[in-house]
């Protein structure tokens, strides 16, 4: 029987989602949020490191982002999550460069690596930025981009830092709309996320059509 190498992710993701749901249930009166936010900068640093670690795995970081928004508020929540995401990108870059292509192909599907590599070969840094907007998990893009020799650390970092901002803002607006029962922010956030994923879908179709015509 062939072993499924993705079984750890298939097991951990539902468990993680359940833990996030339990947090929101127990924190209905902000008791947990008050304790964590009361830790000050040490707590914030730990929070950054936690989301940095999660972003290096297949586990979706959206749950952590929502927890940050609940604990620290919209502005600080986004900032801490963004910092953690960038630290994760930097760490992933050095891991990928150190362990190389063999390690990356063990954790990333070949077709995803091929898609990212094709965009980079075709358009350079612009191609890397576009690949970050595709419906491919950020951790996969980070690992794949890290082993491509032509990608230098600065383009790698700024494309990671900028490409995640629209999605974080859209998620924060949706959260704000739900938390404050404000249809205006909920609508804006939903539109922002839809536009983000629509752009990803159109970019994917464009690449598929290019491959078919070659």
């Amino acid at each position: 029987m062939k072993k499924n190498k993705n079984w750890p992710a298939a097991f951990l993701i539902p468990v993680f989602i359940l833990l996030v749901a339990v947090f929101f249930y127990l924190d209905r009166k902000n008791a947990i949020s008050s304790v964590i936010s009361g830790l000050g900068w040490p707590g914030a640093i730990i929070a950054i490191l936690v989301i940095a670690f999660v972003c290096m795995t297949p586990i979706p970081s959206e749950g952590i982002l929502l927890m940050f928004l609940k604990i620290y508020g919209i502005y600080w929540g986004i900032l801490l999550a963004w910092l953690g995401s960038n630290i994760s990108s930097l760490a992933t870059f050095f891991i990928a460069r150190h362990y190389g292509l063999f390690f990356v192909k063990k954790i990333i599907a070949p077709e995803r690596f091929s898609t990212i590599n094709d965009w980079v070969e075709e358009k350079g840094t612009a191609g890397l930025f576009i690949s970050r907007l595709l419906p491919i998990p950020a951790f996969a893009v980070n690992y794949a981009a890290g082993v491509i020799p032509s990608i230098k650390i600065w383009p790698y970092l700024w494309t990671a830092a900028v490409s995640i901002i629209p999605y974080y803002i859209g998620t924060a607006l949706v959260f704000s709309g739900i938390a404050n029962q404000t249809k205006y922010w909920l609508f804006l956030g939903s539109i922002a996320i839809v536009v983000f994923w629509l752009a990803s879908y159109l970019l994917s179709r464009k690449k598929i059509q290019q491959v078919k015509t070659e």
Side-chain angles (χ1 to χ4, degrees):
M1 181 180 296
K2 185 178 180 180
K3 293 183 178 180
N4 183 2
K5 67 179 181 180
N6 294 320
W7 73 264
F11 171 76
L12 290 175
I13 291 175
V15 171
F16 182 75
I17 293 174
L18 177 62
L19 291 176
V20 172
V22 169
F23 166 81
F24 277 96
Y25 177 78
L26 297 177
D27 197 45
R28 299 189 305 280
K29 296 183 179 180
N30 297 320
I32 301 176
S33 294
S34 297
V35 172
I36 297 176
S37 61
L39 296 175
W41 281 109
I45 293 173
I46 293 174
I48 291 172
L49 295 178
V50 167
I51 195 170
F53 173 76
V54 170
C55 288
M56 295 171 64
T57 72
I59 298 174
S61 63
E62 287 83 352
I64 297 289
L65 173 60
L66 293 174
M67 292 171 65
F68 280 19
L69 298 176
K70 181 77 161 55
I71 297 169
Y72 296 104
I74 299 296
Y75 301 109
W76 279 107
I78 290 179
L79 178 61
L80 294 179
W82 182 78
L83 289 173
S85 175
N86 289 324
I87 291 174
S88 170
S89 298
L90 182 62
T92 301
F93 180 87
F94 288 110
I95 290 173
R97 286 290 162 98
H98 180 73
Y99 288 101
L101 186 60
F102 177 79
F103 169 77
V104 171
K105 286 189 173 181
K106 284 288 185 180
I107 59 175
I108 299 175
E111 60 271 15
R112 285 178 172 172
F113 180 84
S114 178
T115 298
I116 297 165
N117 187 62
D118 289 347
W119 275 108
V120 172
E121 287 185 350
E122 182 180 343
K123 299 182 181 299
T125 300
L128 173 60
F129 184 76
I130 292 173
S131 69
R132 292 191 181 281
L133 300 178
L134 297 175
I136 299 175
F139 90 98
V141 178
N142 286 337
Y143 279 111
V147 298
I148 298 176
S150 61
I151 296 179
K152 305 305 179 185
I153 189 167
W154 172 240
Y156 173 94
L157 287 177
W158 80 254
T159 54
V162 173
S163 62
I164 198 65
I165 292 175
Y167 183 70
Y168 272 15
I169 292 177
T171 303
L173 290 174
V174 171
F175 174 85
S176 180
I178 295 174
N180 301 314
Q181 298 182 347
T182 305
K183 294 181 180 179
Y184 177 76
W185 294 117
L186 180 59
F187 175 76
L188 284 182
S190 300
I191 291 297
I193 292 176
V194 169
V195 169
F196 180 84
W197 287 111
L198 180 60
S200 299
Y201 172 75
L202 293 176
L203 287 170
S204 297
R205 282 185 58 85
K206 178 181 177 182
K207 188 60 182 177
I208 292 173
Q209 291 172 352
Q210 287 178 349
V211 172
K212 288 182 177 180
T213 57
E214 290 177 355

